[in-house]
Amino acid sequence: KLIIEIKTHNTTAKTQAAAAEVIKCVKAKKVEAQVAFIAFDYGTCQYIANQKYPVQYLGGDKAPSNLSAGISIDYQLDKLKANPAWIKQAHDKGLEVNGWTINTSDEIGWFNLQDADYITTDIPDIALKYYEYYQMNR
């Protein structure tokens, strides 16, 4: 999937307008099933979820129980390590979990052990090997 980050503007209204323009482009290219969105602005995540697109909130300041329907989490490693129960809470709520930016073997291992759904990494070839090893040895 192509992950599209909607950058935060100086107001939520402007950020949501940017999201609306991007969604219009996605529809025009007929690639709706091939994209997912991420954003730091929570109101924009709500807007995208209401448009029925997959979206992950990047802010790291909300427990999964406080997220609106259709909004998954994409939090920095330190936020998830400080709140490891959030991963299970998110999964129990049917949400996906991504962590960023995961670049060391310890970080990759920790995310595998937590059964997170995705990681954002600068070393995908190495992360994939860790993931395959983890899956083989569960």
Side-chain angles (χ1 to χ4, degrees), residues 80-132:
L80 290 170
K81 276 195 159 183
N83 302 285
W86 284 2
I87 295 172
K88 183 177 181 334
Q89 288 174 16
H91 285 153
D92 288 348
K93 199 173 170 184
L95 305 175
E96 293 183 324
V97 176
N98 187 58
W100 56 275
T101 299
I102 312 307
N103 284 331
T104 70
S105 58
D106 286 345
E107 294 167 352
I108 294 166
W110 187 85
F111 269 88
N112 279 320
L113 291 172
Q114 304 306 311
D115 287 324
D117 300 293
Y118 308 101
I119 64 168
T120 300
T121 183
D122 295 323
I123 52 169
D125 52 334
I126 295 168
L128 184 58
K129 287 179 183 173
Y130 272 88
Y131 175 76
E132 290 168 347

Side-chain angles (χ1 to χ4, degrees), residues 13-126:
K14 287 181 182 179
T15 307
Q16 289 177 8
E21 285 298 314
V22 173
I23 288 171
K24 195 165 30 171
C25 292
V26 164
K27 287 180 180 179
K29 296 292 183 185
K30 300 183 185 332
V31 293
E32 294 95 335
Q34 298 169 311
V35 302
F37 292 87
I38 57 175
F40 280 99
D41 183 78
Y42 187 71
T44 299
C45 288
Q46 290 173 309
Y47 171 81
I48 293 166
N50 288 338
Q51 305 302 309
K52 306 298 182 206
Y53 286 94
V55 62
Q56 295 179 338
Y57 177 56
L58 295 166
D61 61 333
K62 294 186 183 297
S65 59
N66 295 329
L67 296 174
S68 298
I71 301 175
S72 291
I73 61 173
D74 187 348
Y75 291 169
Q76 279 183 306
L77 171 68
D78 61 338
K79 300 290 183 181
L80 290 170
K81 276 195 159 183
N83 302 285
W86 284 2
I87 295 172
K88 183 177 181 334
Q89 288 174 16
H91 285 153
D92 288 348
K93 199 173 170 184
L95 305 175
E96 293 183 324
V97 176
N98 187 58
W100 56 275
T101 299
I102 312 307
N103 284 331
T104 70
S105 58
D106 286 345
E107 294 167 352
I108 294 166
W110 187 85
F111 269 88
N112 279 320
L113 291 172
Q114 304 306 311
D115 287 324
D117 300 293
Y118 308 101
I119 64 168
T120 300
T121 183
D122 295 323
I123 52 169
D125 52 334
I126 295 168

